[in-house]
Amino acid sequence: MIVRKLSAAGFVAMALAFGAASAQQPQPAKGPDAAQAPAAPPTTAQAKALIDEKFKAADANHDGKLSREEAEAGMPEVYKRFDKIDARKRGYVTQRQIGAYWQSKTKAQMQNENPVWN
């Protein structure tokens, strides 16, 4: 194995070359015609906070449950799947039931997309 020593000038030149190359990263376009980067999906905590906020707004009588009518008015995605979420056919859904339903759907989707890792 041959070991070569860099002179001080060679080391400085190499450092400047790599530093300049890494510093020149493309800058995002600015202005009204610039394409917007897609937003990152919300974190679990953000998603829970959003669902909590929407649930409280939709729960008109503040009983901690959404009737079919409350879901239709305030949470249309829950309304579309109301019968699946209300598996016990009680006529209402709770925030916990909604969370469990979406978690199972997400898990099933992940399993379908990549069965080896899930």
Side-chain angles (χ1 to χ4, degrees), residues 1-109:
M1 180 169 149
I2 300 173
V3 178
R4 296 185 184 177
K5 292 184 180 179
L6 286 177
S7 66
F11 180 76
V12 170
M14 188 172 71
L16 288 174
F18 283 120
S22 65
Q24 295 176 353
Q25 295 182 6
Q27 298 296 320
K30 295 180 182 176
D33 296 331
Q36 295 292 325
T43 63
T44 302
Q46 291 170 332
K48 285 181 180 179
L50 180 64
I51 290 171
D52 184 49
E53 182 180 316
K54 286 185 172 250
F55 187 90
K56 286 180 181 176
D59 185 13
N61 60 0
H62 308 290
D63 64 351
K65 305 169 189 172
L66 288 185
S67 66
R68 189 178 299 273
E69 293 77 23
E70 289 173 326
E72 183 178 18
M75 297 185 81
E77 293 300 317
V78 171
Y79 175 72
K80 289 178 191 176
R81 298 161 179 86
F82 193 89
D83 290 327
K84 292 179 183 177
I85 298 170
D86 183 21
R88 295 183 179 167
K89 308 299 180 214
R90 293 182 175 169
Y92 63 85
V93 294
T94 64
Q95 193 170 353
R96 177 178 262 172
Q97 288 173 306
I98 295 168
Y101 174 79
W102 287 116
Q103 185 177 12
S104 71
K105 296 303 279 184
T106 302
K107 192 178 223 180
Q109 181 181 357

